[in-house]
Amino acid sequence: LRRSGAFFLRRTFGSDKLYKLIFTLYTQVLLCTRDHPVEFFVEGTRSRTSKSLHPKLGLLSMIVEPYLNGLLPDILLFPISISYERTLEEDLFARELLGTPKPKESTSGLFKARSFLASSDYGSIFINFSTPISLHDMCQKWGISRVPHGLFPRDVFVFTKKERDMMTKLGYFVLEKINSETRVFPSTILATIMLQHQEGINKDELMRLAVWLKEETEIRGAQVDWREDALQDSLKLLSTCVETTPSGVVQIRTENHSIPGSSSVLMEEAMSLVLSPSDKHKVMEDGFVCLKLARYRNQLLHWFTPEAIFLLCIQSTSELTTAEMKRRFTVLCTALSREFVLPQIPVDEYRY
């Protein structure tokens, strides 16, 4: 990994100021020498649910600092989206959400992954590049001047409140660009429909709803990887989660699923208080499959979340003033702001 250009960092710097300083300088030297681009994940970690995570601003601030300090005339940020039709860790993430401890990673596990890739179909992978973002242009747009930093020595750099707010906006802007380039797959649409029809659905009706949801997603600007026999391919791809009966009904699989490992002690105790052993086993089995499907469904959420919140505001009443609707919308957006990454724009600029 080192020879391919990777460099390692701790998950947290804690109170180790020396390590943070050395790592910051190392990253900034890479930028200032202009020999290598620096790739990093703005969310900071993998999402077990496939929902977008809020941006982490540590590395971003290290990259912004050389521009504000006058060391670089501009910095270009290239948002990149990597879309997987089926993820290799789908079972692992579902188990972790059910309380099973995460297994330790190892080099041997990396090589064993070859057997999984060879024995199963994991569909397509898309790598999409968004339009580059000029840090110089964004600072001008948001009224950020680097002139005040010229009054102090370069080794004494402190972000102003306005600059910290700018980095937060920039982090969400980069994330929005990544989401806009994320490819929507037929398997995502299939999983979304099946979670709304857990009792089963006729295959013809499933196709009708899939085409409708595809069109609605495209109207909102998404890129859908739709192809001939897309639904049939998705049924094969998600065959561990859904099945087609001889009568042509597509349903979520209910047979026994192997869920190795044990859930956390706290979860075991909580379920034992209200469930019999057989019911507890059924909850784990059904939850395992539904969480796998929900992971694919969640890749679609950011296209519909603002509209869903708006509909929630108006569904309880037939008459609602514009001011009251905006108030409700703001309250709900605030309440759900940790659950979903919402556009960082004023209420008046939302398109319903």
Side-chain angles (χ1 to χ4, degrees):
L1 286 174
R2 289 187 189 278
R3 290 187 177 183
S4 67
F7 55 93
F8 297 87
L9 74 157
R10 298 175 185 172
R11 286 190 176 274
T12 176
F13 296 161
S15 58
D16 194 338
K17 295 182 179 180
L18 179 60
Y19 178 82
K20 181 180 179 181
L21 176 62
I22 293 173
F23 184 85
T24 300
L25 290 174
Y26 178 78
T27 305
Q28 292 175 354
V29 166
L30 288 178
L31 281 174
C32 293
T33 55
R34 309 182 193 186
D35 291 334
H36 305 284
V38 177
E39 176 193 8
F40 66 98
F41 298 89
V42 72
E43 294 172 292
T45 185
R46 293 178 295 178
S47 171
R48 265 59 181 172
T49 62
S50 271
K51 289 181 183 177
S52 295
L53 301 178
H54 291 270
K56 300 293 189 295
L57 305 178
L59 261 172
L60 188 61
S61 65
M62 295 178 191
I63 288 171
V64 169
E65 182 181 326
Y67 168 76
L68 294 177
N69 222 352
L71 297 175
L72 291 170
D74 196 5
I75 295 174
L76 291 180
L77 303 173
F78 282 82
I80 302 173
S81 168
I82 306 177
S83 307
Y84 298 87
E85 190 167 9
R86 183 185 173 194
T87 50
L88 182 65
E89 308 95 337
E90 59 179 9
D91 287 359
L92 174 65
F93 290 155
R95 292 180 196 132
E96 288 183 20
L97 291 171
L98 286 170
T100 303
K102 177 185 175 182
K104 291 184 177 180
E105 297 176 351
S106 63
T107 305
S108 60
L110 177 64
F111 289 106
K112 287 179 182 178
R114 294 178 58 190
S115 62
F116 291 101
L117 292 172
S119 61
S120 300
D121 182 8
Y122 286 90
S124 304
I125 300 174
F126 284 88
I127 302 177
N128 292 67
F129 292 80
S130 181
T131 306
I133 301 169
S134 165
L135 182 58
H136 175 75
D137 291 346
M138 299 308 291
C139 285
Q140 285 195 327
K141 177 182 176 181
W142 291 330
I144 302 295
S145 173
R146 52 184 182 171
V147 172
H149 292 290
L151 303 176
F152 301 94
R154 282 180 173 171
D155 59 342
V156 184
F157 183 90
V158 178
F159 286 105
T160 65
K161 182 183 183 305
K162 192 174 181 180
E163 290 166 350
R164 289 196 298 270
D165 293 341
M166 181 272 291
M167 281 189 295
T168 301
K169 290 171 65 176
L170 182 61
Y172 281 103
F173 185 68
V174 169
L175 196 57
E176 181 182 334
K177 290 291 185 180
I178 293 173
N179 282 337
S180 68
E181 294 294 336
T182 300
R183 194 64 63 105
V184 175
F185 294 103
S187 55
T188 304
I189 293 174
L190 172 63
T192 303
I193 297 172
M194 291 309 302
L195 286 172
Q196 296 296 316
H197 297 81
Q198 296 190 28
E199 72 287 352
I201 181 173
N202 181 273
K203 196 171 182 180
D204 291 337
E205 177 66 6
L206 175 62
M207 174 58 79
R208 186 189 69 82
L209 289 176
V211 172
W212 168 80
L213 185 54
K214 163 193 169 288
E215 293 173 350
E216 288 295 318
T217 307
E218 287 177 329
I219 288 172
R220 287 156 179 81
Q223 304 175 60
V224 182
D225 180 40
W226 197 263
R227 51 193 180 273
E228 189 176 355
D229 297 327
L231 189 63
Q232 193 62 39
D233 291 344
S234 297
L235 287 171
K236 293 178 182 178
L237 203 66
L238 299 183
S239 59
T240 60
C241 299
V242 298
E243 62 182 352
T244 305
T245 66
S247 60
V249 174
V250 182
Q251 61 186 23
I252 296 177
R253 285 187 176 273
T254 56
E255 71 265 20
N256 182 60
H257 293 270
S258 174
I259 311 178
S262 58
S263 57
S264 66
V265 175
L266 183 61
M267 179 175 284
E268 288 283 345
E269 291 179 351
M271 289 196 297
S272 298
L273 292 174
V274 294
L275 297 174
S276 65
S278 60
D279 288 339
K280 183 171 67 173
H281 184 68
K282 187 176 187 303
V283 166
M284 293 293 287
E285 285 186 352
D286 293 348
F288 180 67
V289 181
C290 288
L291 282 172
K292 286 170 66 176
L293 289 174
R295 194 169 187 280
Y296 294 106
R297 185 272 319 273
N298 289 346
Q299 297 172 10
L300 204 61
L301 289 184
H302 63 274
W303 293 107
F304 295 92
T305 302
E307 292 177 48
I309 295 175
F310 171 73
L311 292 173
L312 193 61
C313 293
I314 64 174
Q315 71 170 2
S316 60
T317 180
S318 57
E319 295 184 4
L320 192 67
T321 64
T322 302
E324 176 62 14
M325 186 277 293
K326 290 180 179 180
R327 187 193 68 81
R328 292 187 181 189
F329 188 82
T330 302
V331 169
L332 282 175
C333 285
T334 303
L336 298 171
S337 62
R338 303 310 302 173
E339 185 69 21
F340 303 102
V341 176
L342 299 168
Q344 304 295 298
I345 57 176
V347 176
D348 292 332
E349 296 181 19
Y350 272 93
R351 292 180 297 172
Y352 307 112

